[in-house]
Amino acid sequence: MFKGLFQTKSPVKNEKLEFDISDLDMNNIPKHIAIIMDGNGRWAKAQGKVRTFGHQKGAETLKTIVRAADAIGVKAISAYAFSTENWKRPITEVNFIMDLLSRYLTSEIQEFNENNVQVRFLGSREGLPPVVIEKMDNAIRETKNNTGIILNLAINYGGQAEILQAVQSIAQEAKDGSLDVSAIDKQVFEDHLYTAGLPAPDLLIRPGGDLRISNFLLWQIAYAEIWTTKTYWPDFTPDHLVEAILAYQGRERRFGGLVEKK
Ligand code: FPP
């Protein structure tokens, strides 16, 4: 579905974009964008359809947004696909999402490779169906040499659980004697997170109208700019992405310091 969609007039890609990036400052593109893909169920309900129809459409939206982000020059997208709390949903919905993930990770490999997308995963594998784990491993293997945008799919992910597992493995290393307690600093801690090696998100996007973090990348979003829209995720378009980045570019990032006014 990607083919032909992003022919762009962008000076970066020398193709023709179907959305307008002319207002963007190409020297200030967020490197890493985190997305809480919310509103699938409400979107489906508004159409008189079952919730799972919204997830199906949401997966399509993700494809479109990854391509748009890549064309704009974003280096990484972290998308919240399934949280550690989502197991509390009805079993039919959980099964549908697992099946959707499994199908997505099968059908999209070729697209990922054609578009130079490297797929990674954030989250715990514990409790995931073996078939999903198999597809995850396959996606990692098949796309690991791609050098374009990184797509981090957060599956069975919780920010608090991520921090706890980092603490546990650091404590274990200290106990084993391979890590000195006095050497535990921010860098060591971040090296034990699922996002090790990646810059922290500059921008967090939440569609669907709720103003919550929902346990997503708690450590990593310490200084992320937050942008929300009432638009449900299945209706989210590259134009919304551009709008979010424009808002980001209008923010003054101080990282706790002061910016001197001239
Ligand atoms: C939140 O919407 C969405 C989820 C919990 C799942 C997100 C899943 C997808 C976008 C599809 C799977 C992804 C891939 C990559 C195959 P919600 O169900 O909470 O919606 P609501 O707030 O309207 O109820």
Side-chain angles (χ1 to χ4, degrees):
M1 82 164 274
F2 284 156
K3 285 188 202 103
L5 194 60
F6 292 95
Q7 288 149 10
T8 132
K9 59 179 167 73
S10 137
V12 188
K13 295 257 153 174
N14 196 22
E15 298 163 76
K16 193 168 175 300
L17 286 175
E18 276 197 357
F19 53 94
D20 186 9
I21 60 163
S22 54
D23 290 335
L24 288 179
D25 172 359
M26 299 312 281
N27 295 315
N28 185 21
I29 300 296
K31 286 190 181 62
H32 182 177
I33 300 181
I35 307 179
I36 299 176
M37 304 185 285
D38 197 25
N40 296 344
R42 282 167 288 163
W43 178 86
K45 198 172 167 213
Q47 330 245 332
K49 301 258 174 53
V50 288
R51 293 175 52 79
T52 48
F53 186 67
H55 296 319
Q56 178 101 32
K57 181 66 169 50
E60 293 291 318
T61 301
L62 181 61
K63 291 204 281 190
T64 307
I65 295 306
V66 170
R67 287 210 67 191
D70 185 38
I72 290 169
V74 175
K75 302 294 178 210
I77 292 275
S78 291
Y80 210 179
F82 193 84
S83 78
T84 43
E85 286 70 39
N86 286 152
W87 296 107
K88 291 184 266 188
R89 294 190 175 203
I91 185 73
T92 47
E93 183 168 339
V94 169
N95 287 345
F96 183 91
I97 295 177
M98 290 300 146
D99 186 53
L100 182 62
L101 282 166
S102 170
R103 282 186 283 125
Y104 184 85
L105 293 174
T106 309
S107 65
E108 296 314 308
I109 299 294
Q110 196 183 339
E111 290 284 349
F112 291 144
N113 285 335
E114 279 172 14
N115 292 287
N116 204 15
V117 178
Q118 188 186 113
V119 185
R120 300 184 189 179
F121 297 94
L122 313 176
S124 166
R125 291 176 165 219
E126 217 170 294
L128 288 175
V131 63
V132 172
I133 295 175
E134 201 181 293
K135 304 285 183 191
M136 287 162 66
D137 282 336
N138 185 57
I140 292 169
R141 207 170 35 242
E142 293 288 326
T143 68
K144 70 174 191 301
N145 294 325
N146 291 343
T147 53
I149 193 166
I150 293 170
L151 171 60
N152 287 310
L153 280 173
I155 299 173
N156 197 20
Y157 176 88
Q160 292 174 338
E162 178 185 35
I163 290 169
L164 282 175
Q165 69 78 32
V167 169
Q168 282 177 352
S169 66
I170 288 170
Q172 190 63 52
E173 286 169 37
K175 194 174 161 210
D176 295 346
S178 59
L179 181 64
D180 199 291
V181 171
S182 63
I184 301 170
D185 59 8
K186 186 167 175 269
Q187 186 61 54
V188 167
F189 189 78
E190 291 180 349
D191 288 345
H192 287 77
L193 296 174
Y194 297 124
T195 47
L198 278 180
D202 305 290
L203 174 63
L204 170 71
I205 295 178
R206 179 163 192 151
D210 286 333
L211 303 175
R212 279 192 290 276
I213 302 301
S214 296
N215 203 13
F216 195 39
L217 299 174
L218 293 182
W219 173 280
Q220 297 89 334
I221 60 159
Y223 285 103
E225 296 295 329
I226 301 178
W227 189 83
T228 63
T229 172
K230 289 199 164 98
T231 302
Y232 296 140
W233 175 247
D235 280 336
F236 195 94
T237 65
D239 289 324
H240 291 105
L241 180 67
V242 171
E243 203 184 327
I245 296 175
L246 274 173
Y248 166 85
Q249 293 182 338
R251 309 267 180 94
E252 184 182 80
R253 301 189 80 194
R254 292 189 296 278
F255 299 94
L258 294 174
V259 174
E260 278 183 36
K261 296 267 184 267
K262 291 191 182 125

